[in-house]
Each structure stands twice: as structure tokens, then as C-alpha cells.
Amino acid sequence: MWFCWPYRSVQASVPGVALSLLGKAGRAPAAQESGFAAHQAGVDRLLASYRAIPRDANVRLAKKTSNLFRARAKNTAPGLDVSGLTQVIAVDPQAETADVAGMTTYEDLVAVTLQYGLAPLVVPQLKTITLGGAVTGLGIESTSFRNGLPHESVLEIDILTGAGEIITATPDGEYADLLRGFPNSYGTLGYSTRLKIQLEAVEPYVALRHIRFHELRELETTMAQIIADRSYAGERVDYLDGVVFTADESYLVLGRQTDEPGPVSDYTDMDIFYRSIQHDSKEPKRDRLTISDYLWRWDTDWFWCSRAFGAQHPKIRRFWPKPYRRSSFYWKLIALDHKYHIGDRMEARQGNPPRERVVQDIEVPIERTADFLHWFLREIPIEPIWLCPLRLRDANGPKRPWPLYPLEPDRTYVNIGFWSAVPTTPGQQEGAANRAIEHEVSALDGHKSLYSDSYYAQEEFAGLYYGGDTYAQLKRTYDPDSRLLDLYSKAVQRK
């Protein structure tokens, strides 16, 4: 879900983590008490910073970095101090749960849980995505065909509301309406301070199969069958995503957890993961990674977007500092471009108009995947394209709606991600390519994530993302004085 410039050729100790381990008898040892005490101190600072914000100013987070690609509202008022909310508070390996502060990155969270052979049910692809951000926004990864989305594994969540109160929401408790409305609200209904989430056991390795397709419709059909069977050619499938290079070159990447020892690949050095997928054989190409390297396989090169900075050129890559081969560093480079318009200036020197940023993730029903891909490859000059199937979890108990991003239960969707920029035509409407994508997605009964540029008219947006009267009711209840921006203002309106 992130930005790439169009390609041009060019010549277990975790800082900031206060871990507590619950005892087998359920009694909290001193380390656990210390973890919760440190968390409470962070909450106290958060509340103090809330009270310091003028009542006529919008409440926002005081953070300099973000994984969002839309403009952020300008605000001269102080922001919320979330500096004390970046820790894994406690892990219970017997119950397979974790208490986690809202601003904890998945990088820190996974580094802790893997020590116990556990992982979150869904681990988004980039290390600096926070747990709270994935829940109030939308996260996805290759377990989503069986584990759904990150918010579905939340057992309990503490939320700072716009009214300045911290409430604890559970699926069946007093504030269940806020828990259900929180996903896709992007901080407009409040900010999470603590989340209790389910974990799952994982093995130390992932065995991979890369399956090539020459027809997108065949890929679509095979993907649907794998999801139904949870296997392919008699072998279990625990992870599933894919990459489209062209209409006649696409791949599904199938992963199986294993404890079998053996050699593993390393895509944090000279080799590049997405290039390793490609092959011409009718038989699957096989590979193996450690579980940690698998979970972060896309982060080293920001999927394929590091090529925009020359980081994939062998001569440059050899001297590119390894600590800077990660999405968080590439994001800083993009932020500099946004600030100084470097790309547009370079285009202007060559006599070209500015380029339109097309950084989007959309979902369509699986049976419309090939339809969208054919349209996209014909109309939008961006490649490669990421595919990630998802289904809402069939967890124990009644199926609960998520009204601000309404996916149908028992229906498979495919997330399609594309992150680059396209040429503009003088006189064209602003955001022409993005508007065309929004129209096509709606025509195919799909949805679009709101982390990047959106161009919907207000009435259309409300019909897609407000869940009828749900959003307005939640705003009245939990943000009665409108201290937080509303979702349309935050996600669509030009700043």
C-alpha cells in the first residue's frame, strides 16, 4: 500500500519493548506488572497532552512519520503525545494472546512473539505499520484468505475517544458498537491505546512454491480453488498471495509452514524477492525462508518500489547500506519528494507535465479479479501488481458486521495493490487515473482503501463508507464536540 516512482534505469532484544510474560497459573509476575505500569504512565502522558490541546483545535497525533499517502491536515496546535504507547505490554503464550500498546510497530511486535513461536494472525507487509494503525485503517497479508483482517483478531481494545475518555471495547460489551465501527475510521472515532489480540503458533520456516500462469482467468480460478481446499497439488497452503507482471506473466506464491531444517534464501542482501518469483517452467519454482524473513520479505525493497531509487541496480545495491534497505527509509525519500516536488521538477526539465500519483489498494470479488486486471493493464501503465485474497474470518460465534468497510461474510475478495505514478495530460481533470479506478472498482462491486488519494463526491463517499447511519451515530456518541476530523474531511477533501 505504498508509493513507487515509475521505474527508470540507473547506472532478541528489541528497543522500546517492555515485555511481560504471564505465568502458567495466570498470576502476573513482577515483569508483567512493570509492563502494565509503564503502559499506564504512557496513557497518563497521552491524557495530559489531550487536555493541553485548545478546545477549538482538532485533536491529532503528534507523530512525524506515517504510512499514509494522502495529504495530512495542517494543524498548528500541539498533538497527542503517544511516545509512551510503543510497547508490547504482555504476552500469554498459553492463551496465545498479547496485550500491545496502540503505537507499537509490527516489527517490534513480531520480534517479541516469535520468541514464543507465535505471530499475529495477520502481519502487514511493512515493518513500521503500527498495530493500532492496521486496526483503525485496514491491514492485509498472505494469511488473510484464512485469518481475515487485523481487526478481526482483536479481543479487547482501549480507545481514547474524541470526548477525551478512554473506554474499553469488547465484541459483546457495552461499547461493542465502537469496536465494530472502528475499522476504516482512520482515527476519526478515536485512537487505540491498548489492544488485546489473538496470536497463532508458527513454525520456524516457510516452504514456498511459485506457480506461473499465462492467463489471468486461470490464475483467478486456481486461486479460488486453493482457498476452498487450503491446499494445492496435495500440499497444504498456509500463505497465499501473488504478483502480476503482464497479462501473460503472473504468479501465485504459496507458503507452507514447516519445522524441517535445511538451507534458506536471503533477500535482504543482493538478491531481490519479487525477481526470485519469476520463471518459465511449467513446474512450481521452490524456495525456503525463515519465518521472520518470510513475514518481512516485501519490506527490504518496499515490494518492488526500491528500484525507483536505484537500490536494485547491482552496482548501487552493493554499496547501499543494509540498514537503509527497508521501507521506512524509502518512505523518507518519498517524503522529501513530496515536500520539494523533486520528481515534478525533473519532469519539467525534460519538458514533461507533472505525473499523477496512483498509490492504491482495492478489493474486488474474486470472480471479478481478471476483469479488473485486464482493464487496469489496458488503461493504467503500472507494473507489477500485487494480489492478496481475503475472506472475513469464520470465527466461533455470530458473524459481526464491520459497517465502515462492508465485506460480505462467506465471500472471497482479492486485494489488488499498485503503487506508482502515471503521465498526466494537460487539461485533464485532477486525479483522472484515480477517478477512473474508483469508477471501475465500484462497477465491479469492490472497495478502495482510504490510506491514499481519494476523489469521491461526498454523497457517494457516504454511501460507500458510512454504513448507513452508523458513522453519524458513532460520531455523536463518542465525539460529540467534533474534536476529531470526520472521515470525509480526512480521507478525501483536498488539504
PDB file of all heavy atoms in Angstrom, residues 295-307:
ATOM      1  N   LEU A 295       7.912 -13.162   6.725  1.00  0.00           N
ATOM      2  CA  LEU A 295       6.994 -12.100   7.114  1.00  0.00           C
ATOM      3  C   LEU A 295       7.436 -10.741   6.595  1.00  0.00           C
ATOM      4  O   LEU A 295       6.603  -9.887   6.266  1.00  0.00           O
ATOM      5  CB  LEU A 295       6.851 -12.060   8.636  1.00  0.00           C
ATOM      6  CG  LEU A 295       6.169 -13.275   9.281  1.00  0.00           C
ATOM      7  CD1 LEU A 295       6.194 -13.151  10.792  1.00  0.00           C
ATOM      8  CD2 LEU A 295       4.735 -13.435   8.769  1.00  0.00           C
ATOM      9  N   TRP A 296       8.756 -10.512   6.490  1.00  0.00           N
ATOM     10  CA  TRP A 296       9.275  -9.215   6.038  1.00  0.00           C
ATOM     11  C   TRP A 296       9.860  -9.275   4.641  1.00  0.00           C
ATOM     12  O   TRP A 296      10.657  -8.424   4.248  1.00  0.00           O
ATOM     13  CB  TRP A 296      10.319  -8.703   7.030  1.00  0.00           C
ATOM     14  CG  TRP A 296       9.802  -8.580   8.419  1.00  0.00           C
ATOM     15  CD1 TRP A 296      10.357  -9.068   9.559  1.00  0.00           C
ATOM     16  CD2 TRP A 296       8.610  -7.910   8.836  1.00  0.00           C
ATOM     17  NE1 TRP A 296       9.596  -8.763  10.655  1.00  0.00           N
ATOM     18  CE2 TRP A 296       8.508  -8.049  10.232  1.00  0.00           C
ATOM     19  CE3 TRP A 296       7.608  -7.202   8.158  1.00  0.00           C
ATOM     20  CZ2 TRP A 296       7.454  -7.517  10.971  1.00  0.00           C
ATOM     21  CZ3 TRP A 296       6.547  -6.685   8.886  1.00  0.00           C
ATOM     22  CH2 TRP A 296       6.478  -6.833  10.268  1.00  0.00           C
ATOM     23  N   ARG A 297       9.462 -10.271   3.841  1.00  0.00           N
ATOM     24  CA  ARG A 297      10.047 -10.456   2.514  1.00  0.00           C
ATOM     25  C   ARG A 297       9.824  -9.245   1.609  1.00  0.00           C
ATOM     26  O   ARG A 297      10.624  -8.970   0.719  1.00  0.00           O
ATOM     27  CB  ARG A 297       9.466 -11.718   1.860  1.00  0.00           C
ATOM     28  CG  ARG A 297       7.981 -11.582   1.513  1.00  0.00           C
ATOM     29  CD  ARG A 297       7.287 -12.938   1.382  1.00  0.00           C
ATOM     30  NE  ARG A 297       5.876 -12.801   1.009  1.00  0.00           N
ATOM     31  CZ  ARG A 297       4.921 -12.459   1.861  1.00  0.00           C
ATOM     32  NH1 ARG A 297       5.216 -12.206   3.114  1.00  0.00           N
ATOM     33  NH2 ARG A 297       3.668 -12.367   1.457  1.00  0.00           N
ATOM     34  N   TRP A 298       8.709  -8.513   1.831  1.00  0.00           N
ATOM     35  CA  TRP A 298       8.416  -7.369   0.979  1.00  0.00           C
ATOM     36  C   TRP A 298       9.052  -6.079   1.493  1.00  0.00           C
ATOM     37  O   TRP A 298       9.116  -5.088   0.760  1.00  0.00           O
ATOM     38  CB  TRP A 298       6.899  -7.155   0.878  1.00  0.00           C
ATOM     39  CG  TRP A 298       6.155  -8.225   0.153  1.00  0.00           C
ATOM     40  CD1 TRP A 298       5.125  -8.990   0.631  1.00  0.00           C
ATOM     41  CD2 TRP A 298       6.335  -8.655  -1.201  1.00  0.00           C
ATOM     42  NE1 TRP A 298       4.668  -9.854  -0.314  1.00  0.00           N
ATOM     43  CE2 TRP A 298       5.402  -9.667  -1.459  1.00  0.00           C
ATOM     44  CE3 TRP A 298       7.213  -8.269  -2.207  1.00  0.00           C
ATOM     45  CZ2 TRP A 298       5.311 -10.307  -2.693  1.00  0.00           C
ATOM     46  CZ3 TRP A 298       7.120  -8.909  -3.440  1.00  0.00           C
ATOM     47  CH2 TRP A 298       6.182  -9.915  -3.671  1.00  0.00           C
ATOM     48  N   ASP A 299       9.477  -6.039   2.740  1.00  0.00           N
ATOM     49  CA  ASP A 299       9.912  -4.774   3.318  1.00  0.00           C
ATOM     50  C   ASP A 299      11.266  -4.325   2.777  1.00  0.00           C
ATOM     51  O   ASP A 299      11.488  -3.126   2.578  1.00  0.00           O
ATOM     52  CB  ASP A 299       9.979  -4.878   4.845  1.00  0.00           C
ATOM     53  CG  ASP A 299      10.213  -3.534   5.502  1.00  0.00           C
ATOM     54  OD1 ASP A 299       9.224  -2.819   5.740  1.00  0.00           O
ATOM     55  OD2 ASP A 299      11.381  -3.196   5.755  1.00  0.00           O
ATOM     56  N   THR A 300      12.191  -5.250   2.535  1.00  0.00           N
ATOM     57  CA  THR A 300      13.545  -4.869   2.122  1.00  0.00           C
ATOM     58  C   THR A 300      13.535  -3.962   0.897  1.00  0.00           C
ATOM     59  O   THR A 300      14.299  -2.988   0.832  1.00  0.00           O
ATOM     60  CB  THR A 300      14.390  -6.119   1.830  1.00  0.00           C
ATOM     61  OG1 THR A 300      14.464  -6.910   3.012  1.00  0.00           O
ATOM     62  CG2 THR A 300      15.789  -5.754   1.365  1.00  0.00           C
ATOM     63  N   ASP A 301      12.690  -4.274  -0.065  1.00  0.00           N
ATOM     64  CA  ASP A 301      12.630  -3.475  -1.285  1.00  0.00           C
ATOM     65  C   ASP A 301      11.291  -2.772  -1.464  1.00  0.00           C
ATOM     66  O   ASP A 301      10.964  -2.341  -2.560  1.00  0.00           O
ATOM     67  CB  ASP A 301      12.943  -4.353  -2.500  1.00  0.00           C
ATOM     68  CG  ASP A 301      14.422  -4.660  -2.588  1.00  0.00           C
ATOM     69  OD1 ASP A 301      15.190  -3.730  -2.892  1.00  0.00           O
ATOM     70  OD2 ASP A 301      14.818  -5.809  -2.309  1.00  0.00           O
ATOM     71  N   TRP A 302      10.550  -2.643  -0.331  1.00  0.00           N
ATOM     72  CA  TRP A 302       9.250  -1.942  -0.391  1.00  0.00           C
ATOM     73  C   TRP A 302       8.443  -2.516  -1.547  1.00  0.00           C
ATOM     74  O   TRP A 302       8.034  -1.808  -2.443  1.00  0.00           O
ATOM     75  CB  TRP A 302       9.492  -0.456  -0.572  1.00  0.00           C
ATOM     76  CG  TRP A 302       8.510   0.420   0.112  1.00  0.00           C
ATOM     77  CD1 TRP A 302       7.546   0.083   0.999  1.00  0.00           C
ATOM     78  CD2 TRP A 302       8.429   1.848  -0.043  1.00  0.00           C
ATOM     79  NE1 TRP A 302       6.869   1.191   1.416  1.00  0.00           N
ATOM     80  CE2 TRP A 302       7.386   2.280   0.793  1.00  0.00           C
ATOM     81  CE3 TRP A 302       9.118   2.784  -0.786  1.00  0.00           C
ATOM     82  CZ2 TRP A 302       7.021   3.625   0.900  1.00  0.00           C
ATOM     83  CZ3 TRP A 302       8.751   4.111  -0.686  1.00  0.00           C
ATOM     84  CH2 TRP A 302       7.726   4.522   0.142  1.00  0.00           C
ATOM     85  N   PHE A 303       8.223  -3.844  -1.486  1.00  0.00           N
ATOM     86  CA  PHE A 303       7.766  -4.638  -2.625  1.00  0.00           C
ATOM     87  C   PHE A 303       8.821  -4.491  -3.734  1.00  0.00           C
ATOM     88  O   PHE A 303       9.906  -4.996  -3.615  1.00  0.00           O
ATOM     89  CB  PHE A 303       6.373  -4.212  -3.080  1.00  0.00           C
ATOM     90  CG  PHE A 303       5.293  -4.756  -2.181  1.00  0.00           C
ATOM     91  CD1 PHE A 303       4.984  -4.124  -0.988  1.00  0.00           C
ATOM     92  CD2 PHE A 303       4.602  -5.897  -2.503  1.00  0.00           C
ATOM     93  CE1 PHE A 303       4.000  -4.626  -0.152  1.00  0.00           C
ATOM     94  CE2 PHE A 303       3.621  -6.418  -1.681  1.00  0.00           C
ATOM     95  CZ  PHE A 303       3.324  -5.768  -0.494  1.00  0.00           C
ATOM     96  N   TRP A 304       8.524  -3.758  -4.790  1.00  0.00           N
ATOM     97  CA  TRP A 304       9.486  -3.542  -5.887  1.00  0.00           C
ATOM     98  C   TRP A 304       9.845  -2.059  -6.013  1.00  0.00           C
ATOM     99  O   TRP A 304      10.559  -1.660  -6.911  1.00  0.00           O
ATOM    100  CB  TRP A 304       8.874  -4.005  -7.214  1.00  0.00           C
ATOM    101  CG  TRP A 304       7.392  -3.893  -7.223  1.00  0.00           C
ATOM    102  CD1 TRP A 304       6.650  -2.780  -7.473  1.00  0.00           C
ATOM    103  CD2 TRP A 304       6.467  -4.927  -6.917  1.00  0.00           C
ATOM    104  NE1 TRP A 304       5.313  -3.055  -7.344  1.00  0.00           N
ATOM    105  CE2 TRP A 304       5.163  -4.381  -7.002  1.00  0.00           C
ATOM    106  CE3 TRP A 304       6.597  -6.275  -6.581  1.00  0.00           C
ATOM    107  CZ2 TRP A 304       4.006  -5.123  -6.757  1.00  0.00           C
ATOM    108  CZ3 TRP A 304       5.456  -7.016  -6.334  1.00  0.00           C
ATOM    109  CH2 TRP A 304       4.183  -6.438  -6.431  1.00  0.00           C
ATOM    110  N   CYS A 305       9.365  -1.253  -5.071  1.00  0.00           N
ATOM    111  CA  CYS A 305       9.475   0.198  -5.228  1.00  0.00           C
ATOM    112  C   CYS A 305      10.874   0.741  -5.015  1.00  0.00           C
ATOM    113  O   CYS A 305      11.165   1.877  -5.404  1.00  0.00           O
ATOM    114  CB  CYS A 305       8.497   0.886  -4.275  1.00  0.00           C
ATOM    115  SG  CYS A 305       6.783   0.438  -4.601  1.00  0.00           S
ATOM    116  N   SER A 306      11.773  -0.027  -4.414  1.00  0.00           N
ATOM    117  CA  SER A 306      13.139   0.462  -4.218  1.00  0.00           C
ATOM    118  C   SER A 306      13.859   0.686  -5.546  1.00  0.00           C
ATOM    119  O   SER A 306      14.862   1.394  -5.598  1.00  0.00           O
ATOM    120  CB  SER A 306      13.939  -0.518  -3.355  1.00  0.00           C
ATOM    121  OG  SER A 306      14.197  -1.723  -4.057  1.00  0.00           O
ATOM    122  N   ARG A 307      13.365   0.114  -6.618  1.00  0.00           N
ATOM    123  CA  ARG A 307      14.009   0.301  -7.918  1.00  0.00           C
ATOM    124  C   ARG A 307      13.968   1.770  -8.341  1.00  0.00           C
ATOM    125  O   ARG A 307      14.820   2.223  -9.112  1.00  0.00           O
ATOM    126  CB  ARG A 307      13.339  -0.574  -8.986  1.00  0.00           C
ATOM    127  CG  ARG A 307      11.904  -0.213  -9.287  1.00  0.00           C
ATOM    128  CD  ARG A 307      11.264  -1.207 -10.239  1.00  0.00           C
ATOM    129  NE  ARG A 307       9.897  -0.813 -10.560  1.00  0.00           N
ATOM    130  CZ  ARG A 307       9.101  -1.519 -11.381  1.00  0.00           C
ATOM    131  NH1 ARG A 307       9.548  -2.620 -11.950  1.00  0.00           N
ATOM    132  NH2 ARG A 307       7.884  -1.114 -11.628  1.00  0.00           N
TER     133      ARG A 307
END
